Amino acid sequence: MEILANQMRPKTLSEVFGQQHLIGENKVLSNLVQNKHIVSMILYGRPGTGKTSIANAIVHDLKKPYKFMNATINNKSDFDIAIEEAKMEGDMILIIDEIHRMNKDKQDLLLPYIESGLITLIGLTTSNPYHKINPAIRSRVQIFELHDLTVEDIKVGLKRATTKLPDCQIDEECLEFIATSASGDVRSAMNLLETAYYSTKDHHITLETLKNIQSKPVFFHDKNEDGHYDVLSAFQKSIRGSDVDASLHYLARLIEAGDLDSIYRRMSVIAYEDIGLANPSIGPKVMAAIEASELVGLPEARIPLGTIVTEMALSPKSNSAHLALDEALNDIHKGNTGNVPDHIKTNSQTYLYPHNYKNDYVRQEYLPKNLRGKKYYHPKDNKYENSLNKLWQERTGNK
């Protein structure tokens, strides 16, 4: 018997719930399908946000030949066959799951056919394509980010799903519990609903039934649907505010919910955004803690995580480096750039090599002419940045 999550997979874009920034009246994906002009694209987002469902809905709406493949499982000969099928059909939509894992041989094979339009690519990935996808592929596709589904989005799907379960009895409170416990993953929600339905004799789903199946405490989403982000925000702000007890409290909530990926991402940001040059060793320490956590898994992962979060909260703080870069980026966005000075261009004959001079320093201009004298970096008053400033003054003779 087909599982409920698969039964509920949308057949058309109009059946997709959530992702209102992409799907709906006058939204980009809906308009592309309506105009029968689909483009190569990458859909990325967390598991359960609807990447595969949207891809399937697109091909069913367009009624075009398509093939579903996996970048890891299918080998180069499978891709050769897909290309030959596309030639026979005249064109084809190729849906590739885990596209961030596609090796260079497969990419090189597909690129000319994507370029010619013989193959329209729909890539699916949980990884940020700006970091994980080869630039050659990336430059030939549109990238669409799928947002986490809200509690209300998931409840819409659950209500539809109950129509597939004969005599299913469930109230609003139970739907709220299932949607909340799913943490944005609609598959997880469907699976819990289906398990609860078949675990009762009369198909009457109660809160007690659900809690017996799903015993993990639910922290992410509240009735305002902001809980997930609120906990992550509180986690970062507690570390930034040097409140070690609050930092550990919110870490505990995130661990209890099992969302290690969010913890890893947020800690990596905090290390450089909030601690930065006040304690530059914290970045590598965070990565080491993440690697240790991945190695041992839960529940032992709490040990390296608790250790590093305690140090992060107690560490001195500085945001000077990333504020400096933001100011430089602001100049770029405003077009305030200028030409690279001739003496530091690739083939310059007048460049002064600092290592040939005392203290490995020689005075020369590096910024474009119209930006000379511009100061982006403004050090904070902490031990490490003060020591860097002192060394810089001694090396350059600037007092």
Side-chain angles (χ1 to χ4, degrees), residues 101-118:
R101 299 185 185 276
M102 189 159 66
N103 65 33
K104 190 175 185 301
D105 286 348
K106 295 171 187 173
Q107 291 180 29
D108 290 345
L109 182 67
L110 289 178
L111 283 174
Y113 301 106
I114 295 172
E115 191 78 46
S116 69
L118 179 69

Side-chain angles (χ1 to χ4, degrees), residues 148-163:
D148 288 354
L149 296 176
T150 67
V151 169
E152 289 305 316
D153 290 334
I154 295 175
K155 282 166 65 177
V156 169
L158 289 172
K159 288 175 181 177
R160 289 183 194 170
T162 58
T163 65

Side-chain angles (χ1 to χ4, degrees), residues 23-139:
I23 297 167
E25 186 177 354
N26 207 29
K27 296 299 168 61
V28 58
L29 291 184
S30 298
N31 285 346
L32 285 170
V33 167
Q34 187 175 343
N35 292 323
K36 300 190 182 304
H37 185 80
I38 201 66
V39 297
S40 288
M41 68 182 74
I42 290 175
L43 304 175
Y44 86 99
R46 288 194 356 167
T49 51
K51 298 181 293 296
T52 304
S53 294
I54 290 173
N56 281 326
I58 287 172
V59 296
H60 284 129
D61 277 338
L62 292 173
K63 296 180 174 56
K64 292 178 71 72
Y66 73 96
K67 196 174 186 69
F68 192 98
M69 305 185 76
N70 185 293
T72 302
I73 297 170
N74 293 108
N75 57 35
K76 189 169 179 289
S77 63
D78 295 327
F79 283 86
D80 284 326
I81 293 170
I83 290 167
E84 292 306 312
E85 291 178 3
K87 289 177 180 176
M88 289 187 287
E89 295 283 357
D91 64 358
M92 176 181 284
I93 296 176
L94 191 59
I95 303 170
I96 303 180
D97 199 10
E98 296 191 83
I99 192 170
H100 60 282
R101 299 185 185 276
M102 189 159 66
N103 65 33
K104 190 175 185 301
D105 286 348
K106 295 171 187 173
Q107 291 180 29
D108 290 345
L109 182 67
L110 289 178
L111 283 174
Y113 301 106
I114 295 172
E115 191 78 46
S116 69
L118 179 69
I119 286 176
T120 301
L121 171 68
I122 302 181
L124 314 178
T125 178
T126 56
S127 297
N128 188 330
Y130 295 102
H131 300 155
K132 298 290 187 178
I133 305 296
N134 186 300
I137 289 283
R138 214 169 56 224
S139 67

Side-chain angles (χ1 to χ4, degrees), residues 122-335:
I122 302 181
L124 314 178
T125 178
T126 56
S127 297
N128 188 330
Y130 295 102
H131 300 155
K132 298 290 187 178
I133 305 296
N134 186 300
I137 289 283
R138 214 169 56 224
S139 67
R140 290 166 172 81
V141 301
Q142 294 298 317
I143 295 174
F144 299 113
E145 179 180 5
L146 272 61
H147 296 166
D148 288 354
L149 296 176
T150 67
V151 169
E152 289 305 316
D153 290 334
I154 295 175
K155 282 166 65 177
V156 169
L158 289 172
K159 288 175 181 177
R160 289 183 194 170
T162 58
T163 65
K164 300 287 186 181
L165 301 171
D167 302 318
C168 180
Q169 300 174 63
I170 185 168
D171 62 23
E172 193 70 20
E173 186 180 19
C174 291
L175 289 171
E176 183 86 19
F177 180 91
I178 295 173
T180 301
S181 66
S183 296
D185 186 335
V186 71
R187 268 196 306 270
S188 173
M190 295 288 181
N191 290 339
L192 178 53
L193 173 66
E194 186 174 24
T195 303
Y197 173 80
Y198 285 110
S199 68
T200 62
K201 287 185 178 180
D202 58 359
H203 304 314
H204 181 203
I205 300 171
T206 66
L207 205 54
E208 183 181 3
T209 304
L210 293 169
K211 287 181 178 179
N212 286 335
I213 299 168
Q214 177 66 281
S215 59
K216 182 190 295 182
V218 176
F219 291 117
F220 276 131
H221 296 279
D222 55 19
K223 291 185 178 179
N224 295 322
E225 304 170 12
D226 297 324
H228 170 68
Y229 303 102
D230 285 345
V231 173
L232 284 170
S233 175
F235 177 56
Q236 179 164 5
K237 287 170 182 170
S238 298
I239 295 175
R240 182 187 295 151
S242 301
D243 188 327
V244 65
D245 299 301
S247 301
L248 291 170
H249 169 78
Y250 292 114
L251 173 65
R253 288 172 67 159
L254 292 164
I255 288 174
E256 196 62 39
D259 191 13
L260 290 179
D261 284 344
S262 289
I263 296 171
Y264 298 159
R265 287 193 295 269
R266 194 56 63 111
M267 287 196 316
S268 298
V269 169
I270 295 166
Y272 295 97
E273 180 182 353
D274 296 309
I275 299 171
L277 288 174
N279 181 5
S281 68
I282 203 69
K285 286 183 178 180
V286 165
M287 293 310 299
I290 290 171
E291 289 176 10
S293 300
E294 284 289 276
L295 181 65
V296 300
L298 287 171
E300 286 83 359
R302 76 190 190 284
I303 299 169
L305 290 175
T307 302
I308 193 63
V309 165
T310 298
E311 181 176 355
M312 293 172 79
L314 296 176
S315 176
K317 308 296 191 293
S318 173
N319 63 352
S320 59
H322 88 81
L323 288 182
L325 179 59
D326 285 348
E327 191 175 342
L329 286 168
N330 190 44
D331 268 347
I332 305 302
H333 296 156
K334 291 189 295 188

